[in-house]
Amino acid sequence: MSNQSSETSRMRGLMLVAGREIRVRGLSKSNIISLLITVVIVGVLAALPMILGGDDPDDKVGLAGADAAAMQAQLDAMGGFEVTLYDSADEAEQAVEDEEVDSAVADGALISRDGVGTTIQTQLEAAWQAATIQTNLSDAGLTDAQIGEALAAEPLEVVTLEDSANDSVTSYFTGLVISIIMFMMLMTPVQYIAMGVVEEKSSRIVEILLTSLKPWQLLGGKVIGLGVISLVNLVAMVAVGLGVSAATGVLGDLPEGTASAALSTIGWYLIALVLFGTLAGGVGSLVSRQEESGSVLTPLIMSLTLSYLGAIFMLNAPTSTVAQVLSIVPPFSAITMPTRMAITTVPAWEIALSIGLLVVAAAGALALGAQLYKRSVLYTGSRLKLADALRRAA
Amino acid sequence: MLEIKDLQKRFGDTVALDGVSLSAAPGEVVGFVGANGAGKTTTMRIAMGVLAADSGQIVYNGAPLGVEQRRRFGYMPSERGLYPKMKTGEQVAYFGELHGMSKAEARRSAAELLEQLDLTHRAGDFVQDLSLGNQQRVQLAVSLVHDPEVLILDEPFSGLDPIAVDVMGTALRDRAAAGAPVIFSSHQLDLIERLCDSVAIIGKGSIIAAGTVEELKAKEVKQLRVRVDSGEDLTGRLPGSVVRDGGDYLVEGADDQEVLRIAAAAGRVSHFAYDQPTIAEIFREAVTR
């Protein structure tokens, strides 16, 4: 009984189990179809800004008079205007009358049927002023280069003194996306791991499996396999999302650090997967029928949901004490810390402490889950109580 | 040579095994017989390392059985199990790989077995879509795919149709002929009698009788069955204790040659032989003793 198999065959057993999960579950029709649907939804969402923006028609502006050419240059530079040139102010006025254009600027007058709204008026005003200045300077004998130099002005640098500097809409959004993805990406494998354990138990195949595999290989292989499937799904979603964003030009608007946030999220995810996945396998082995798996999974699902709700709360109060505590205490930290890091600057010691505690919790979960699994996987019948399972001889 | 030595196992207050010893030599088919709850499944589970014994050991070829050697054993548990949502061919090959075969070897072996079991056309179907009988065949394929050195089968014949029983029986004899020790349990005692070289009978956690089929039969009390074509009742004239069984006389505790002489003098002797007890009779005798 004490003979140990060689290192290679231990790894091989683990990888065979993981490979089977990936083949059977990852390549199953249902998984591929749901992935395709998700990818399409993500793609559509990513393309949404462009689709919505594309529906917004340009404002039609008629121009006439001495500054018309200079003004056209200004409006083209601003974008969002469809410019028509007219020979005289009368013609331009007639065009407004005939609804050929929404408004017209001619000889210093803004002509419209019933006003143009403040936004457009401000834009036209700015263009008018710039064009007038340009014409005047040109008249004063300056070259185009000199005019350009004279008008050049750096945009204002924005400096905020409060800590909520990063609390912008985009980092809020990044944090929201991270918390949603972490939540969903943990929820799915946790349920599949428990279902897989119960399937092997209820079909009694586990008895054959255990003649050539150790319980830790069976459990570990499941966690690895389902983790890989989830990661592949995640990567596919992110790739499609970023790809579509890049193609539609939205990508440039994403804040700096989105990529590093995405990468560190994967690290947090892997630790969290060990924590929740091994526990799911352990509690899954307590029951013998699929119908009962829901009840033993409830505490895990609850703590995942609480972590997610905590992260959502944190988005609105990233500097509160509750946020600070939630993002350090496992298992909540698995979702709340990466979310918090996305929306605000977190002191390094807090991050280190959070990672440390989460790793310790994951190691504890690994030991507990594996013990539970080992002790109860061959037990059939009514549901085992947690305490009984731990009291049982392996 | 597989030796199961002095196994002890308790489940709570229940003594499941109380010193069970059993062995199978290379090429020997051992039938493992016992009433429900006698300890057959527990013994086999311990032999396969699925359950730990409180004491006792499993010795293979003179040394304690190790994990690596056990992976070359073939096992069929009493409660059958397969992955319902996995394709048949893929599943059989997967178990081959788990038992240490390379991917190519496992696939080839799985394909061969499915061919033998007439399941090749179902190789691409999910196991859950097969009939129960075919699932049993897949189960057999799973236990044989890695060309096992030793077979330990718990109730391999239960639920099989007559054709599958033949296939299974042939498979067992083939493995034994190739030098594998085979231990299987069954309630179908006629099958045990037909297939086994030796038999071990277990009752309440201990082996109550064991030996080759001939030995066990020879141990039983012998009854001489005599049939004589004669109008005369010979009950009083034959020596020893005589009982009538229809038209026959069952004679115990007498010199058979003297019985023959008296019978032949009375009429034509159409039957004169010792009754061979069936395994079923031996079993009944052993467990009620």
Side-chain angles (χ1 to χ4, degrees):
Chain A
M1 296 295 216
S2 60
N3 271 19
Q4 286 294 342
S5 50
S6 65
E7 202 64 39
T8 46
S9 75
R10 284 195 209 178
M11 287 316 289
R12 186 160 185 262
L14 191 66
M15 287 307 135
L16 278 172
V17 175
R20 196 200 80 88
E21 293 296 331
I22 294 170
R23 267 202 317 281
V24 172
R25 243 178 253 289
L27 300 182
S28 72
K29 260 184 213 148
S30 56
N31 184 55
I32 288 174
I33 290 172
S34 85
L35 177 59
L36 283 179
I37 293 174
T38 321
V39 159
V40 168
I41 292 175
V42 168
V44 169
L45 282 179
L48 215 51
M50 192 200 66
I51 297 170
L52 291 180
D55 285 338
D56 194 14
D58 288 352
D59 288 294
K60 292 177 183 166
V61 181
L63 297 177
D67 297 317
M71 186 135 176
Q72 185 181 16
Q74 289 293 333
L75 289 179
D76 284 349
M78 283 180 181
F81 290 100
E82 189 186 321
V83 178
T84 317
L85 287 178
Y86 295 98
D87 294 334
S88 67
D90 287 344
E91 270 180 52
E93 197 178 329
Q94 189 60 44
V96 175
E97 193 105 332
D98 296 344
E99 300 191 13
E100 279 173 32
V101 291
D102 301 321
S103 57
V105 179
D107 295 336
L110 174 54
I111 307 159
S112 66
R113 285 181 293 281
D114 52 356
V116 289
T118 42
T119 320
I120 289 174
Q121 186 167 347
T122 314
Q123 284 176 306
L124 290 176
E125 200 96 47
W128 167 250
Q129 279 175 8
T132 315
I133 292 169
Q134 199 172 359
T135 314
N136 291 346
L137 290 175
S138 175
D139 288 349
L142 268 68
T143 63
D144 280 355
Q146 283 172 313
I147 297 171
E149 218 166 279
L151 292 179
E154 286 291 322
L156 283 178
E157 188 188 348
V158 181
V159 179
T160 9
L161 298 177
E162 293 295 319
D163 204 22
S164 58
N166 295 330
D167 193 7
S168 68
V169 177
T170 32
S171 48
Y172 180 93
F173 188 69
T174 310
L176 184 66
V177 168
I178 287 179
S179 60
I180 292 177
I181 286 182
M182 282 289 275
F183 177 61
M184 288 181 46
M185 296 275 302
L186 285 172
M187 202 66 144
T188 313
V190 155
Q191 284 172 322
Y192 272 125
I193 288 168
M195 273 168 57
V197 168
V198 180
E199 182 196 34
E200 280 169 2
K201 222 185 138 172
S202 63
S203 72
R204 305 300 301 155
I205 198 168
V206 70
E207 195 170 333
I208 311 179
L209 292 169
L210 287 179
T211 63
S212 49
L213 288 169
K214 292 274 169 203
W216 69 263
Q217 289 173 313
L218 258 180
L219 181 59
K222 271 199 160 30
V223 175
I224 293 173
L226 286 160
V228 168
I229 296 171
S230 301
L231 271 182
V232 167
N233 286 3
L234 175 66
V235 167
M237 272 188 262
V238 170
V240 168
L242 289 183
V244 173
S245 302
T248 56
V250 182
L251 194 58
D253 299 342
L254 287 179
E256 262 178 72
T258 303
S260 67
L263 279 180
S264 79
T265 302
I266 291 179
W268 287 96
Y269 172 69
L270 291 179
I271 308 176
L273 182 69
V274 173
L275 172 64
F276 285 104
T278 48
L279 281 181
V283 298
S285 66
L286 294 176
V287 298
S288 307
R289 282 192 301 274
Q290 212 65 263
E291 306 91 89
E292 294 171 328
S293 61
S295 62
V296 288
L297 269 181
T298 307
L300 273 183
I301 304 275
M302 283 289 281
S303 54
L304 264 176
T305 311
L306 279 178
S307 310
Y308 171 67
L309 292 178
I312 298 296
F313 164 78
M314 171 173 300
L315 286 171
N316 298 306
T319 50
S320 65
T321 316
V322 179
Q324 205 174 357
V325 171
L326 270 183
S327 64
I328 290 176
V329 178
F332 310 109
S333 52
I335 297 181
T336 48
M337 186 52 112
T339 308
R340 187 170 160 220
M341 283 164 66
I343 52 173
T344 187
T345 315
V346 183
W349 71 267
E350 286 188 25
I351 299 177
L353 179 61
S354 175
I355 292 179
L357 288 177
L358 193 61
V359 167
V360 169
L366 187 64
L368 178 68
Q371 280 300 318
L372 273 182
Y373 184 81
K374 196 166 113 189
R375 284 158 199 257
S376 46
V377 74
L378 275 178
Y379 173 90
T380 43
S382 59
R383 178 186 153 185
L384 261 181
K385 289 207 175 66
L386 194 64
D388 292 342
L390 290 174
R391 221 178 292 131
R392 277 167 66 86
Chain B
M1 179 85 168
L2 180 71
E3 293 163 276
I4 294 168
K5 286 187 171 172
D6 199 22
L7 295 185
Q8 303 273 353
K9 178 74 184 176
R10 299 173 73 94
F11 293 113
D13 296 332
T14 324
V15 178
L17 300 183
D18 187 13
V20 169
S21 296
L22 180 65
S23 68
E28 187 182 24
V29 179
V30 179
F32 197 25
V33 189
N36 291 327
K40 298 188 298 288
T41 296
T42 304
T43 304
M44 291 179 145
R45 281 183 170 176
I46 291 173
M48 286 311 297
V50 175
L51 212 66
D54 296 339
S55 68
Q57 58 177 345
I58 313 293
V59 175
Y60 181 55
N61 292 340
L65 181 60
V67 175
E68 274 307 297
Q69 291 166 312
R70 194 182 270 122
R71 282 182 11 150
R72 297 196 295 271
F73 283 23
Y75 176 51
M76 190 186 279
S78 59
E79 290 179 85
R80 302 297 147 72
L82 295 164
Y83 285 112
K85 285 180 186 150
M86 195 171 177
K87 287 175 184 161
T88 306
E90 210 180 311
Q91 179 148 210
V92 176
Y94 173 63
F95 279 97
E97 283 193 75
L98 282 185
H99 284 285
M101 288 177 126
S102 74
K103 205 180 190 77
E105 279 176 331
R107 281 197 185 157
R108 187 161 5 94
S109 173
E112 277 171 21
L113 269 171
L114 292 183
E115 180 70 48
Q116 282 172 33
L117 296 168
D118 197 20
L119 282 171
T120 303
H121 62 293
R122 305 304 301 268
D125 292 342
F126 286 130
V127 169
Q128 63 181 5
D129 296 334
L130 301 185
S131 68
L132 214 59
N134 278 340
Q135 289 188 19
Q136 292 270 32
R137 293 182 186 202
V138 178
Q139 193 86 48
L140 174 64
V142 161
S143 57
L144 295 179
V145 62
H146 54 295
D147 198 9
E149 286 178 13
V150 176
L151 276 181
I152 295 183
L153 310 171
D154 201 352
E155 300 283 350
F157 294 99
S158 81
L160 293 187
D161 64 50
I163 296 166
V165 166
D166 287 346
V167 172
M168 175 71 81
T170 312
L172 295 194
R173 294 286 354 167
D174 284 354
R175 296 290 150 172
V182 176
I183 298 178
F184 78 92
S185 69
S186 181
H187 288 305
Q188 284 149 284
L189 298 168
D190 52 324
L191 277 170
I192 298 255
E193 184 151 13
R194 207 170 79 210
L195 291 169
C196 294
D197 303 307
S198 56
V199 177
I201 299 173
I202 187 170
K204 295 193 182 111
S206 341
I207 300 289
I208 46 181
T212 65
V213 174
E214 288 72 31
E215 281 168 1
L216 284 177
K217 286 184 173 178
K219 258 190 218 159
E220 287 299 301
V221 183
K222 286 180 186 176
Q223 282 188 326
L224 184 59
R225 182 177 290 271
V226 186
R227 196 174 303 143
V228 189
D229 299 334
S230 160
E232 209 180 335
D233 187 352
L234 301 176
T235 314
R237 291 176 50 195
L238 290 172
S241 73
V242 181
V243 185
R244 290 296 296 253
D245 181 26
D248 299 349
Y249 301 95
L250 297 174
V251 184
E252 262 179 59
D255 175 14
D256 45 20
Q257 293 309 308
E258 197 189 335
V259 174
L260 181 60
R261 229 177 4 255
I262 296 166
R268 179 174 168 272
V269 178
S270 61
H271 182 98
F272 182 85
Y274 282 103
D275 268 357
Q276 285 281 333
T278 61
I279 293 288
E281 284 162 342
I282 295 171
F283 174 67
R284 247 172 251 126
E285 183 73 15
V287 290
T288 50
R289 204 177 287 154

